[in-house]
Amino acid sequence: MNSSLNAARRRRELDEVRSDVVDVLVVGLGATGAGAALDAASRGLSVAAVDAHDIAFGTSRWSSKLIHGGLRYLASGQVGVAWESAVERDALLRFTAPHLVSAHPYLLPLTPAVPRSMAASLMAGYRLGDALRAAARTPRHLLPGPSRLAARRTLTLAPYLRAEGLRGGLLSWDGRVVDDARLVVALARTAAAHGARVLTRCRALALAGDGARVRDELTAEEFDIRARAVINATGVWAGELTPSVALRPSRGTHIVLRPGALGALHAGLHLPIPGERNRFALVLPQADGRVYAGLTDEPLDGPIPDVPEAPESDIAFLLDVLGTALDHPLRRADVAGAFAGLRPLLDTAGAPASLGGRTADLSRRHAVLRSPDGVVTVVGGKLTTYRRMAEDAVDAACPHARPSRTARLPLVGAGPVRPGTPGRLARRYGSEAWAVRELMREDPALAEPVALGITRAELVWAVRHEGALDADDLLDRRTRIGLVPEDRAAALPAAEAALAYS
Ligand SMILES: Cc1cc2nc3c(=O)[nH]c(=O)nc-3n(C[C@H](O)[C@H](O)[C@H](O)COP(=O)(O)OP(=O)(O)OC[C@H]3O[C@@H](n4cnc5c(N)ncnc54)[C@H](O)[C@@H]3O)c2cc1C
């Protein structure tokens, strides 16, 4: 079946779901829900999957974009979580999304804040992480091992580091997705290719074991979707639909620096957070030239916003941490944008008190919970482990279904890339890049860049095939132009033109 999502398909499938009974209704189209829709549809089940807003509207688009092997969890003794991460990273790198996920180098500068004993134990940790890589069968050419660098080489990779007192650096490698929202769109489209009905702007108002009351947010019309099984994959909002699920959200903020703000940065950075054990700030150069730096971990009390705000206090904190390692301290004016996401951490009774109430220390493992009305909620976990979460949720919701097939199921775009395809397009579209180029050939005006090298053709492609329904979908999720407010304002007319063109 066709993987293209667009307004016409949405209209048609909305009509269909009103009269059908589906095997599985998935609520929420983040990585977990889109993954569950794919997992169920590829087992041959009929699926409807709804989101109140858009694909990747929630936490999934605010991540650090690391597809990580779980090193942090090893350090805190959560070996099972680390192993699961390493296995899922392997699946993404080798089989399911090799066009979107690749290895990136990270440098831990050996500054005076990193004593020799700490450097030795960090290196031992990296080696353990490399052993997990080998056990998960990820070849070394896809994910190189760690090494120690001299100070000169360290400064070549990160020229803005403070040279004074620098003893060198520890270089390690981990997976990263080019854009978290693109991974979720690829999941949703692959689910659609297996027959799932993927319906954005459809808010679940109430759930039961046999379906949901849903409101079409474009028309305000309410209707029922009847289902044999219901999966609540609404992340940090899960408790609003299933009150027995208690969450303890924590806010993570990243700042966005303009291309070049940290010089010619050739590796990500791990910078120790002063006064903390085993917590590091991350500096993450992106394929589009911007640099993200994060991240905070602050418990959130009160109502859960649709789009969390990054407070000035978080931005100041991150600038301070970067200032501990840089030769040219950054100023507030260097911050072009900021974003925050809410971690859907489970409030496991007893753990918060015993850990002093720190969300940074709560387990990052996922949970699959069945409530008395029969709804299965899947929550917690990570972007990296979305596939395993999805498999566990479908196993729980549909115990008689055939086994999951997703561990080796390539996502849309995972096929061979035609020779001569520009690298930027190949990294975002994989085997579909030629079709995006074809649009530019048919109408050369579509080759015009909008921002960050993104062309008008890509916006038109997103409307025709990636389910973008309005300018917000285009600027904030199908592309990430919107992370910098001035870039967003400049690109808005192009987004509106793409909607009219399509
Ligand atoms: C700052 C930060 C950094 C992170 N970095 C990483 C990282 O680098 N690597 C990693 O592996 N993990 C990372 N994580 C964790 C990871 O991002 C999350 O665990 C994961 O994205 C959660 O996905 P989800 O699909 O469960 O939830 P979400 O992505 O939040 O999806 C839930 C969806 O449900 C929808 N929804 C809500 N209510 C309703 C309703 N009533 N009806 C219909 N739809 C509804 C929302 O619109 C949303 O789209 C990070 C998390 C944070 C906060």
Side-chain angles (χ1 to χ4, degrees):
M1 201 187 243
N2 191 337
S3 70
S4 298
L5 295 173
N6 47 48
R9 181 168 181 171
R10 177 183 179 278
R11 270 194 301 276
R12 192 176 67 240
E13 294 190 339
L14 256 178
D15 281 344
E16 290 168 6
V17 292
R18 288 170 190 229
S19 47
D20 277 8
V21 181
V22 292
D23 290 324
V24 190
L25 168 65
V26 179
V27 182
L29 283 165
T32 312
L38 171 58
D39 192 279
S42 61
R43 297 188 199 207
L45 300 170
S46 62
V47 176
V50 298
D51 198 285
H53 303 275
D54 182 25
I55 300 165
F57 183 85
T59 302
S60 296
R61 71 173 149 142
W62 305 127
S63 80
S64 304
K65 292 151 195 51
L66 302 177
I67 298 299
H68 49 71
L71 197 56
R72 268 192 27 222
Y73 310 110
L74 271 186
S76 55
Q78 301 178 61
V79 181
V81 188
W83 170 244
E84 204 170 86
S85 287
V87 168
E88 294 305 326
R89 177 182 65 183
D90 180 67
L92 283 157
L93 275 168
R94 284 205 292 156
F95 303 105
T96 59
H99 57 312
L100 298 176
V101 178
S102 54
H104 284 264
Y106 296 91
L107 194 56
L108 190 139
L110 298 174
T111 62
V114 183
R116 281 173 204 283
S117 58
M118 182 176 165
S121 70
L122 285 167
M123 194 57 175
Y126 290 145
R127 293 222 169 88
L128 214 55
D130 193 49
L132 267 189
R133 169 205 58 78
R137 295 172 182 265
T138 311
R140 190 161 253 158
H141 74 266
L142 283 185
L143 206 58
S147 53
R148 186 175 166 147
L149 305 181
R152 260 220 348 242
R153 175 92 181 111
T154 303
L155 287 167
T156 319
L157 292 178
Y160 278 24
L161 284 176
R162 188 173 306 135
E164 198 189 322
L166 188 72
R167 307 195 304 282
L170 303 182
L171 189 75
S172 61
W173 292 76
D174 212 341
R176 200 162 86 210
V177 61
V178 65
D179 179 347
D180 40 18
R182 283 207 78 70
L183 174 65
V184 186
V185 169
L187 286 167
R189 287 185 56 206
T190 313
H194 282 84
R197 287 146 175 160
V198 173
L199 302 166
T200 59
R201 307 303 196 284
C202 284
R203 177 180 293 277
L205 302 171
L207 301 186
D210 60 356
R213 184 81 183 153
V214 173
R215 183 171 66 217
D216 179 345
E217 298 288 47
L218 297 181
T219 60
E221 231 180 306
E222 289 185 20
F223 58 96
D224 292 320
I225 297 182
R226 288 176 299 150
R228 294 182 188 90
V230 175
I231 296 176
N232 176 359
T234 54
V236 81
W237 296 276
E240 291 177 0
L241 289 168
T242 307
S244 57
V245 174
L247 293 172
R248 216 160 166 261
S250 113
R251 185 185 63 236
T253 295
H254 291 83
I255 53 177
V256 182
L257 304 169
R258 286 191 194 287
L262 290 180
L265 185 61
H266 299 293
L269 300 176
H270 289 168
L271 304 178
I273 296 184
E276 300 267 357
R277 260 193 74 220
N278 206 16
R279 247 192 93 198
F280 297 87
L282 302 172
V283 177
L284 304 159
Q286 302 296 302
D288 62 16
R290 290 174 176 167
V291 178
Y292 303 159
L295 77 165
T296 59
D297 198 332
E298 296 293 329
L300 179 98
D301 298 316
I304 297 165
D306 280 354
V307 178
E309 294 269 311
E312 281 298 327
S313 53
D314 282 13
I315 297 172
F317 168 81
L318 291 170
L319 286 176
D320 282 351
V321 177
L322 297 192
T324 61
L326 298 179
D327 211 10
H328 309 260
L330 295 167
R331 288 159 302 128
R332 180 64 181 84
D334 295 314
V335 178
F339 61 90
L342 300 175
R343 298 177 186 84
L345 302 181
L346 263 185
D347 192 352
T348 40
S354 64
L355 295 167
R358 296 233 356 221
T359 50
D361 298 331
L362 287 181
S363 167
R364 303 287 150 108
R365 207 180 147 61
H366 67 271
V368 175
L369 311 160
R370 181 183 287 277
S371 44
D373 57 7
V375 173
V376 168
T377 298
V378 54
V379 75
K382 298 178 294 295
L383 194 70
T384 307
T385 53
Y386 79 84
R387 195 208 62 78
R388 180 59 197 275
M389 295 171 68
E391 176 180 339
D392 289 354
V394 176
D395 279 349
C398 312
H400 304 298
R402 61 173 93 130
S404 172
R405 295 174 47 207
T406 49
R408 296 288 181 271
L409 191 78
L411 303 186
V412 163
V417 175
R418 290 193 183 179
T421 303
R424 198 190 69 79
L425 284 184
R427 277 192 299 275
R428 294 179 66 78
Y429 297 91
S431 57
E432 291 191 324
W434 70 271
V436 179
R437 282 191 97 191
E438 225 23 59
L439 282 178
M440 301 184 214
R441 242 177 239 138
E442 282 161 19
D443 182 350
L446 294 182
E448 193 188 315
V450 177
L452 304 166
I454 295 164
T455 57
R456 287 177 184 269
E458 289 165 69
L459 301 182
V460 170
W461 176 265
V463 177
R464 290 185 183 171
H465 303 286
E466 296 178 345
L469 297 182
D470 63 19
D472 295 351
D473 292 359
L474 285 173
L475 298 175
D476 299 332
R477 290 170 289 276
R478 301 310 176 277
T479 72
R480 310 311 294 275
I481 295 170
L483 286 175
V484 173
E486 299 102 81
D487 293 353
R488 190 182 202 287
L492 191 57
E496 277 158 2
L499 289 158
Y501 186 96
S502 305

